[in-house]
Amino acid sequence: MVAKNRKQTGKSPATQADRDRSPLVSPPGKSAARRPGRGGEGKASNGSHANGLSGIRHKLGLTPSAVARLGITLLLGKLGPHHLSQLFENDRHFSHLSNLEKEMAFRTEMGLYYSYYKTIIDAPAFLDGLHVVMNDRLTEYPLVINTLKRFNLYPEVVLASWYRMYTGVMGYVGIPTKMCWSINRGEGLTPVDSCEGLGDPAYFYVSVVFLLNGAMMSLFFIYGAYLSGSRLGGVVTAVCFFFNHGESTRVMWTPPLRESFAYPFLVLQMLLLTYILRRTAMVALGVSNVCFMLPWQFAQFVLLTQVASLFASYILGYLAASKMQSILVTHMVTLAVCFVLMFGNSMLLTSFYASSLVSIWVSCANQCKPVQTSANQCKPGLAWVGSTVLFKFMLSSVLCASDDAHISGLIKSKFTSYKDFHTLMYTCAAEFDFMELETPLRYLRTLLLPINMLVVFHLALSAPSCPVLDPTELVSLQLVYHSLQLVAFAVLAVLIMRLKLFLTPHMCIMASLICSKQLFGWIGERFKHQLAVFAVMAIMAVQGVANLQAQWAIIGEFSNLPQEELLGWIQDNTRPDAVFAGAMPTMASVKLSTGRPIVNHPHYEDAGLRERTKLVYSMYSRMSGETVQGNLMKLGVDFFVLEDSWCTRRTRPGCSMPEIWDIEDPLNAGRIPFCTHMSRSSTPHFITVFANDIYKVLKVPKAAKDLR
């Protein structure tokens, strides 16, 4: 792959003449410097500032402690987005990419989601774009689908509306919103135009994502401070998150993924729930629930663990039945709201989460007060598991819904030897495998794991054996719930490595409890306690700072010339209505950058789409050429994008595409994969119309005469 070598020692044009960067657009009255600094004009005098600030503090009722909390909150809200955007820029050199390269940088399902944002902002009017995405004819040709129902696209709708409003207002008042440059890529490559600034659609998109997730750092501080009852506890949570940043999030590498929009609202929701366990704020909890569920199809599984943890707290006698039922009602109402806003998405009603709400409600209604003996405490738990599974499969049968059948298969494969085509498509990816051993070792090096073990141990020792449901015990309820939630997140992370996204931040929140007087007041007076906490943070910093330095040292530059050639050829040499099929990640890029219809895509949470993808992927099976050709013709495909790497790639034994097909099609096991034949010669079944080192485009005949 050819390197572009754009990045040198800085961004000033004067020191990078070899990149031939010349401004195409320059705001009137500004110099050619890329990011001109602000002048010193308007500097306020220092006279009587002390009295003025103290007077303002007195009128607002801000104590020095409140001012300190506010200052730390604002500081973290500023540092968070900067940290994320800098990591993203270092990795991709995003500011120097052309529009096409920025789109290619959003690989697999990221590109699919971003394509709908692009559709709305490119439409003549916002409502026109909304109508197009709700009546989409390109994503699953020849079907017309409501993508807002299928793909959790409310983040793209909101961002597109904000972008249109922002550029409209800025254009009306005459304020430039972006700076564009001509980039000389060298090595015989054509120059490209590169823009940065909020007026650039991709820049606006990722900036909002980083702002949202950066603001989450402020939430973590507030959360840790509230749970531990100490401002220092909030600092511990934020520090732990930064020290374990690579294990806590991947938003800096994959901004458009659904978790990037949903997870900050889960943090808010859990903070509100923690507050509700002491007081009442059900409306705020409901709103945060909706904001968490709408952007992400997997939110239901997280909320399932939450209601399970609350139900366990109820069974153990820490949570009153009335409060448990109030929380359940809030969850039910928000589930109904999301069902309506998602245009009746059946996956919400047939989820384990929905069935769990019903079974817990029935249990709470039939059981007036918590049971006390250990033997009796197990019965409601077992009844909940059994009734939840029963309700789920009953609803699926009644509604004839099978969109989440692959989830049941995935869970089954974790505990048995079960495997099928769709299950292997998940489990052969590293992020859906069991947690690797290196992850807990990384927790150990930053002391995150030992601190959590210490906290849970002290909580177990201090928890009353027979809790009393009165206000003096509500603090214990909060700690018990968070400990149970920690266990639930740990189980999810062990089963599916990708879900350590929930475990690591929650461990950071639990680490704040080392500042809790309730658990660690035995250390001594306040000064000694704080000194011990600072000593722990100093030890954490040894590995934590090394982790941060390793992230900051990642310097890369996105470049994918073979795909750029492919997309350019498609744009120039095929009809706008030509239908494409191929590997799911590549199809997302084809739809995004060329606007051509596709028959399969990376959003795998639909039974019909999974069957379509299975037909398309028969290219990588050992079936006959006639069968593969017939499958593609059945879908109305005009061109198939073949990638040899999909034929030969093997992440581990049993995980190459031909081996996956051997599970599904054992009769043909042992034959040479059909894709191997295609890599040598596409005749007599297809015609090669484009080829480079990575991609080969095969024309699918409509009739036998097309091969003559």
Side-chain angles (χ1 to χ4, degrees):
M1 187 176 291
V2 181
K4 293 181 183 174
N5 195 29
R6 292 176 183 160
K7 201 164 192 175
Q8 304 294 331
T9 57
K11 292 187 175 180
S12 170
T15 60
Q16 301 180 55
D18 55 304
R19 283 179 13 216
D20 192 23
R21 260 189 121 195
S22 57
L24 298 177
V25 178
S26 181
K30 299 281 186 179
S31 69
R34 181 130 165 241
R35 292 190 178 97
R38 294 181 180 176
E41 298 178 0
K43 187 175 181 180
S45 65
N46 294 325
S48 70
H49 265 205
N51 292 334
L53 290 176
S54 62
I56 292 172
R57 278 203 310 266
H58 178 72
K59 289 181 179 179
L60 294 177
L62 295 176
T63 63
S65 177
V67 171
R69 285 193 181 95
L70 180 61
I72 295 173
T73 302
L74 295 176
L75 177 63
L76 289 171
K78 177 68 175 176
L79 286 178
H82 175 75
H83 179 64
L84 293 172
S85 60
Q86 196 60 50
L87 290 176
F88 183 68
E89 171 65 17
N90 288 348
D91 181 56
R92 305 287 175 84
H93 209 184
F94 203 67
S95 61
H96 290 59
L97 301 181
S98 67
N99 288 337
L100 176 60
E101 290 171 316
K102 289 174 183 175
E103 291 177 355
M104 289 193 300
F106 297 142
R107 285 185 50 76
T108 189
E109 60 185 297
M110 294 188 289
L112 182 69
Y113 299 135
Y114 184 82
S115 70
Y116 301 109
Y117 166 78
K118 180 182 176 182
T119 296
I120 297 176
I121 64 175
D122 286 346
F126 172 75
L127 292 179
D128 293 334
L130 189 60
H131 180 268
V132 171
V133 300
M134 291 177 65
N135 298 272
D136 182 86
R137 300 174 182 273
L138 301 180
T139 307
E140 293 181 8
Y141 177 88
L143 303 179
V144 178
I145 62 173
N146 182 352
T147 58
L148 204 56
K149 174 182 178 180
R150 285 273 300 278
F151 301 148
N152 301 83
L153 292 179
Y154 276 96
E156 280 65 33
V157 173
V158 172
L159 261 62
S161 66
W162 289 355
Y163 176 81
R164 294 183 72 108
M165 287 189 289
Y166 171 75
T167 54
V169 171
M170 294 296 103
Y172 180 77
V173 298
I175 299 177
T177 58
K178 61 182 177 181
M179 186 80 75
C180 296
W181 309 84
S182 177
I183 304 291
N184 184 356
R185 300 191 289 177
E187 301 185 28
L189 300 175
T190 57
V192 295
D193 294 341
S194 177
C195 298
E196 60 177 325
L198 293 179
D200 180 73
Y203 242 87
F204 184 90
Y205 188 98
V206 299
S207 295
V208 173
V209 173
F210 293 149
L211 184 64
L212 175 64
N213 284 266
M216 184 174 66
M217 294 307 305
S218 298
L219 269 181
F220 276 126
F221 168 73
I222 297 170
Y223 200 157
Y226 182 75
L227 184 64
S228 65
S230 166
R231 185 168 62 243
L232 185 57
V235 174
V236 169
T237 296
V239 167
C240 285
F241 189 87
F242 274 116
F243 286 169
N244 297 273
H245 197 257
E247 304 297 316
S248 302
T249 181
R250 53 179 183 169
V251 64
M252 58 284 192
W253 318 129
T254 57
L257 288 185
R258 301 301 82 187
E259 65 206 46
S260 302
F261 295 98
Y263 186 71
F265 291 104
L266 175 64
V267 177
L268 175 62
Q269 190 261 9
M270 292 181 65
L271 173 58
L272 290 170
L273 179 63
T274 306
Y275 176 82
I276 285 169
L277 294 178
R278 288 186 183 179
R279 298 175 179 84
T280 302
M282 295 298 177
V283 174
L285 178 68
V287 172
S288 61
N289 261 11
V290 172
C291 292
F292 174 52
M293 291 178 67
L294 278 183
W296 200 14
Q297 66 270 25
F298 291 127
Q300 52 181 287
F301 299 103
V302 181
L303 295 178
L304 170 64
T305 67
Q306 184 176 98
V307 295
S309 301
L310 290 169
F311 185 50
S313 301
Y314 164 74
I315 292 174
L316 294 172
Y318 289 92
L319 181 59
S322 58
K323 180 146 289 188
M324 182 77 223
Q325 289 178 327
S326 297
I327 295 173
L328 287 175
V329 169
T330 304
H331 276 271
M332 289 176 177
V333 171
T334 54
L335 179 64
V337 170
C338 289
F339 179 74
V340 172
L341 292 177
M342 292 291 291
F343 301 92
N345 189 317
S346 62
M347 278 189 68
L348 293 175
L349 289 188
T350 60
S351 63
F352 286 104
Y353 166 58
S355 300
S356 177
L357 293 176
V358 176
S359 64
I360 293 176
W361 174 267
V362 172
S363 177
C364 291
N366 292 334
Q367 188 172 297
C368 298
K369 58 182 180 179
V371 292
Q372 298 297 331
T373 64
S374 299
N376 288 336
Q377 285 174 345
C378 293
K379 293 179 181 178
L382 295 174
W384 165 71
V385 173
S387 58
T388 296
V389 174
L390 179 63
F391 287 156
K392 185 259 185 294
F393 287 107
M394 284 177 57
L395 283 171
S396 297
S397 299
V398 170
L399 298 177
C400 299
S402 58
D403 290 340
D404 60 351
H406 63 302
I407 301 297
S408 301
L410 179 61
I411 296 172
K412 186 178 178 182
S413 71
K414 294 294 181 178
F415 300 100
T416 68
S417 59
Y418 174 81
K419 52 187 174 182
D420 60 20
F421 181 88
H422 301 303
T423 300
L424 288 171
M425 291 295 289
Y426 277 100
T427 57
C428 282
E431 60 266 30
F432 285 95
D433 201 358
F434 290 100
M435 178 188 286
E436 58 184 357
L437 179 61
E438 184 61 27
T439 297
L441 292 178
R442 286 192 282 262
Y443 293 153
L444 195 62
R445 295 187 192 107
T446 58
L447 296 188
L448 189 60
L449 182 58
I451 289 173
N452 273 260
M453 294 175 66
L454 181 64
V455 166
V456 173
F457 175 74
H458 275 280
L459 178 61
L461 290 180
S462 61
S465 57
C466 296
V468 180
L469 296 175
D470 62 45
T472 62
E473 294 295 337
L474 290 178
V475 173
S476 294
L477 165 60
Q478 291 179 324
L479 302 185
V480 167
Y481 158 69
H482 279 84
S483 298
L484 292 170
Q485 187 69 74
L486 177 68
V487 172
F489 283 159
V491 171
L492 288 180
V494 169
L495 293 176
I496 300 175
M497 187 178 66
R498 177 181 178 180
L499 298 184
K500 67 182 179 180
L501 151 75
F502 301 111
L503 173 62
T504 312
H506 196 70
M507 291 175 73
C508 296
I509 292 168
M510 291 292 287
S512 69
L513 292 174
I514 62 172
C515 303
S516 170
K517 293 180 181 178
Q518 182 184 6
L519 294 181
F520 294 94
W522 52 268
I523 293 178
E525 59 185 13
R526 180 181 177 184
F527 176 75
K528 289 183 179 179
H529 191 177
Q530 291 181 342
L531 197 63
V533 172
F534 278 114
V536 170
M537 285 197 291
I539 299 173
M540 292 170 61
V542 174
Q543 182 62 44
V545 172
N547 291 344
L548 285 173
Q549 290 175 336
Q551 280 198 320
W552 295 334
I554 297 174
I555 303 295
E557 182 172 22
F558 179 82
S559 178
N560 192 341
L561 290 175
Q563 189 174 90
E564 190 175 333
E565 293 174 358
L566 169 69
L567 298 175
W569 182 88
I570 293 174
Q571 193 75 45
D572 297 336
N573 296 276
T574 63
R575 302 185 316 274
D577 60 349
V579 182
F580 282 79
M584 291 184 284
T586 305
M587 289 303 98
S589 296
V590 169
K591 180 190 179 298
L592 168 60
S593 299
T594 70
R596 300 301 193 266
I598 57 176
V599 299
N600 63 311
H601 54 77
H603 198 278
Y604 216 55
E605 281 70 49
D606 178 76
L609 186 277
R610 290 196 293 272
E611 293 309 310
R612 282 169 156 258
T613 300
K614 194 172 175 181
L615 290 175
V616 170
Y617 279 20
S618 64
M619 177 68 72
Y620 301 105
S621 71
R622 305 179 196 272
M623 297 179 184
S624 65
E626 290 78 11
T627 303
V628 175
Q629 184 189 72
N631 289 341
L632 297 178
M633 293 175 69
K634 185 189 305 182
L635 294 171
V637 175
D638 293 314
F639 298 96
F640 185 95
V641 180
L642 177 68
E643 301 173 56
D644 287 341
S645 60
W646 279 74
C647 194
T648 58
R649 184 174 53 196
R650 192 175 189 237
T651 55
R652 64 173 185 267
C655 278
S656 68
M657 283 304 305
E659 288 174 318
I660 291 175
W661 266 108
D662 287 343
I663 301 297
E664 195 71 22
D665 182 29
L667 294 178
N668 286 313
R671 297 180 57 182
I672 297 176
F674 182 68
C675 52
T676 302
H677 293 300
M678 289 297 97
S679 64
R680 298 167 184 164
S681 174
S682 60
T683 58
H685 303 289
F686 303 98
I687 303 172
T688 301
V689 291
F690 170 84
N692 61 20
D693 294 339
I694 303 297
Y695 302 98
K696 179 184 287 188
V697 178
L698 307 178
K699 184 177 180 181
V700 181
K702 295 298 182 184
K705 64 180 181 181
D706 289 354
L707 294 173
R708 295 174 185 171

